[in-house]
Amino acid sequence: MAEMSNPTFKDRCIVSCGMLHPEINHLVKTDFLNPRRILFTPPGLHALPDKLEEHLLKRLAQARESCPDRRIIVVYGKKCYVNTDEPLKRVDSILQAAGQGIVRVQGDYGYDMLAGFEDRQRISGGRQDKTLWFTPGWLKSWKTVYQRYFGWDSADANANFPGFYDKIIVLDGFGLAEEYMIQHAEEILELFDWTGLEVEFHPITLDRFKGLLVDSLLPSADEELEGM
């Protein structure tokens, strides 16, 4: 990841999955991000690929009101769009069809932008594939994803979580653990009861996410050629 002493996003527009709203909002409040405009799609649309594409294109159109394509940054994981009807289609192909020069922050999923594979292996004791990775956004939206979008009931949850996962680990980039355990204890208990998985908070920094965002500011090969 690139290093910039004073990165500025003031001439950029950001279109992000709503799952990362807490992290992006935190980076704005702490003066790391200062984009011209930030737009969010509803969280959890990976469960509804057609809706994901629809909302993403709508937000891109809104972003174009303030920024040209090459100044638009999309915060979506590479693998967040999976459609069995169009198996070769991904977020990147949607962006390529939508315009030229739109940059996607690199990462397979939103949680991968917060903690890379090696970090997740370390955090999970080598069992990252057996861990259900949550972020603060997931804590707020898991019912929408699993119960509304997927339409799962408790029987579906019992068939899909225990045995497949050891536990839920929440990647906590700004010290939410104590607040949740005290002020939202019933919500954590409800999540445990429904999934059958213990919920564990793990503190992380947002350094990886910040580095990936800075990388998105680097000029593309086409821009470098134009500047020559």
Side-chain angles (χ1 to χ4, degrees):
M1 290 182 288
E3 291 185 6
M4 295 176 66
S5 56
N6 294 298
T8 178
F9 296 81
K10 65 182 181 181
D11 64 343
R12 299 301 203 272
C13 292
I14 293 177
V15 175
S16 174
C17 171
M19 280 295 188
L20 288 169
H21 184 281
E23 287 78 13
I24 288 180
N25 189 48
H26 177 78
L27 293 180
V28 170
K29 287 183 176 180
T30 54
D31 298 324
F32 176 81
L33 282 179
N34 58 340
R36 184 175 295 170
R37 192 173 186 187
I38 303 178
L39 297 157
F40 293 95
T41 60
L45 292 182
H46 63 280
L48 304 172
D50 290 339
K51 289 293 184 182
L52 187 158
E53 182 176 9
E54 175 188 336
H55 281 276
L56 180 55
L57 293 175
K58 185 182 298 184
R59 294 294 182 263
L60 287 173
Q62 292 173 321
R64 287 192 181 98
E65 296 171 4
S66 303
C67 295
D69 282 3
R70 66 180 57 189
R71 294 290 182 264
I72 296 175
I73 298 170
V74 172
V75 186
Y76 251 97
K78 178 181 180 180
K79 299 179 180 179
C80 287
Y81 180 96
V82 177
N83 190 337
T84 54
D85 294 331
E86 299 180 89
L88 299 180
K89 196 170 188 176
R90 291 290 184 269
V91 171
D92 286 336
S93 56
I94 293 172
L95 298 180
Q96 289 165 5
Q100 292 187 341
I102 300 171
V103 177
R104 181 181 61 79
V105 173
Q106 295 302 296
D108 286 346
Y109 302 99
Y111 64 78
D112 182 53
M113 296 178 191
L114 304 182
F117 178 83
E118 291 182 0
D119 285 332
R120 298 198 306 274
Q121 280 286 76
R122 174 181 53 80
I123 292 168
S124 63
R127 295 177 66 81
Q128 79 92 25
D129 289 334
K130 299 291 287 181
T131 300
L132 187 57
W133 297 99
F134 265 34
T135 65
W138 268 96
L139 283 178
K140 295 179 180 180
S141 303
W142 68 268
K143 283 186 181 180
T144 298
V145 175
Y146 293 121
Q147 297 179 1
R148 180 181 169 191
Y149 292 166
F150 282 133
W152 288 1
D153 58 20
S154 56
D156 294 313
N158 187 59
N160 282 279
F161 294 118
F164 290 93
Y165 298 104
D166 297 332
K167 58 185 171 182
I168 294 170
I169 294 182
V170 183
L171 297 171
D172 181 6
F174 28 87
L176 288 179
E178 184 175 354
E179 173 193 341
Y180 254 87
M181 292 305 180
I182 295 175
Q183 299 181 19
H184 304 280
E186 290 184 1
E187 295 176 24
I188 297 297
L189 182 60
E190 182 181 15
L191 176 59
F192 166 72
D193 286 342
W194 199 74
T195 61
L197 302 174
E198 292 186 9
V199 181
E200 175 185 311
F201 285 76
H202 190 90
I204 61 168
T205 72
L206 294 180
D207 289 348
R208 171 175 167 80
F209 191 33
K210 291 163 72 173
L212 292 172
L213 286 164
V214 170
D215 284 348
S216 70
L217 296 174
L218 297 176
S220 66
D222 290 340
E223 287 177 301
E224 289 179 345
L225 287 173
E226 288 177 8
M228 293 178 65

